[in-house]
């Protein structure tokens, strides 16, 4: 059987999510680095694989899968053990909501193409860009802290990592890169520490795959 191939960028938080999920599921894979800073995602050969020109792209089971949450949803269906979402519908919705706070509300406003537009066509200086980053990260993390707190265990939901933790850890990595203050989010910090102590999360860390 052909090994899965993950096209990713080492510091992309969406790629980081998929690496974590693959490691948690015990799926061995090869990587094809795509340098976003050099614009390799815009090349014709890559767009022939993923017309949107984003990372990650996972080639697995004869399929080409794009968008990090869709890829993880495929992994959850195709490799159900260990589960990354609860079986109970209400619990599943709770975990998905926490994941979406990161993937839909925080991350899109802080990804590379948005930041390039802020400093390029819109002409924001570095201080204004940093303020933009911190504002949207802080808003999202405050909501996530309040949502997770009452039902958290070792992780954001219970005592096993879920999709919510897979989204949280890369987002906190980004927050630290941009020197966002995190002391107001004790639940998130505790769950982040628990997750990063696991081999699957540690193996996916950008420092482990950096060029």
């Amino acid at each position: 059987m052909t090994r899965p191939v993950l096209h990713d960028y080492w510091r992309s938080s969406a790629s980081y999510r998929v690496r974590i999920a693959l490691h948690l599921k015990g799926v061995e894979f090869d990587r094809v680095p795509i340098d976003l800073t050099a614009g390799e995602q815009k090349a014709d050969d890559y767009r022939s694989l993923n017309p949107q020109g984003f990372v990650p792209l996972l080639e697995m089971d004869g399929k080409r899968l794009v968008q990090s949450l869709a890829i993880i949803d495929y992994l959850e269906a195709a490799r159900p053990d260990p589960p990354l979402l609860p079986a109970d519908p209400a619990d599943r919705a709770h975990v998905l909501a926490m994941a979406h706070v990161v993937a839909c509300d925080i991350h899109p406003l802080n990804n590379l193409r948005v930041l390039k537009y802020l400093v390029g066509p819109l002409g924001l200086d570095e201080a204004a860009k940093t303020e933009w980053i911190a504002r949207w990260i802080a808003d999202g993390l405050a909501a996530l802290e309040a949502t997770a707190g009452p039902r958290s265990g070792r992780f954001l939901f219970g005592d096993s990592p879920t999709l919510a933790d897979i989204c949280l850890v890369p987002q906190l990595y980004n927050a630290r890169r941009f020197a966002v203050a995190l002391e107001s989010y004790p639940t998130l910090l505790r769950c982040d520490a628990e997750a990063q102590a696991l081999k699957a999360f540690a193996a996916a860390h950008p420092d482990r795959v950096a060029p």
Side-chain angles (χ1 to χ4, degrees):
M1 178 178 285
T2 303
R3 280 166 63 99
V5 176
L6 178 65
H7 303 253
D8 74 346
Y9 177 60
W10 67 283
R11 209 161 59 183
S12 154
S13 57
S15 298
Y16 190 178
R17 293 173 203 146
V18 172
R19 292 196 301 267
I20 293 169
L22 286 165
H23 287 304
L24 283 170
K25 295 290 188 180
V27 177
E28 295 185 357
F29 62 97
D30 297 318
R31 290 182 60 244
V32 175
I34 304 295
D35 189 347
L36 301 186
T37 62
E40 292 179 359
Q41 73 278 14
K42 300 176 183 177
D44 290 343
D45 58 347
Y46 184 70
R47 283 188 179 271
S48 71
L49 302 175
N50 180 3
Q52 197 173 17
F54 290 171
V55 292
L57 160 69
L58 180 65
E59 297 184 277
M60 180 174 174
D61 301 335
K63 301 171 180 61
R64 290 176 183 158
L65 306 165
V66 297
Q67 289 289 343
S68 63
L69 295 193
I71 293 171
I72 296 170
D73 184 68
Y74 176 84
L75 292 172
E76 184 73 349
R79 307 287 194 278
D81 187 44
L84 302 177
L85 288 165
D88 177 80
D91 292 342
R92 178 186 174 93
H94 175 66
V95 170
L96 283 170
M98 291 191 289
H100 290 172
V101 169
V102 174
C104 301
D105 297 338
I106 304 175
H107 171 240
L109 293 171
N110 289 274
N111 68 19
L112 184 62
R113 65 189 184 124
V114 170
L115 299 182
K116 283 186 173 181
Y117 191 81
L118 291 175
V119 299
L122 296 187
L124 270 64
D125 61 20
E126 196 65 24
K129 184 187 81 170
T130 299
E131 182 180 348
W132 167 279
I133 292 168
R135 159 66 192 278
W136 299 117
I137 291 179
D139 276 9
L141 293 184
L144 186 57
E145 176 77 17
T147 302
R151 305 186 67 185
S152 66
R154 286 182 59 207
F155 299 95
L156 288 179
F157 179 76
D159 294 324
S160 300
T162 67
L163 178 61
D165 304 286
I166 290 172
C167 291
L168 171 70
V169 170
Q171 186 57 61
L172 290 188
Y173 170 82
N174 279 347
R176 292 181 177 106
R177 278 182 57 214
F178 296 122
V180 176
L182 298 176
E183 61 271 11
S184 297
Y185 317 114
T187 301
L188 305 187
L189 292 175
R190 175 176 54 76
C191 295
D192 175 65
E194 289 278 1
Q196 292 203 58
L198 299 179
K199 290 182 179 179
F201 284 80
H205 194 282
D207 291 350
R208 295 286 294 273
V209 300

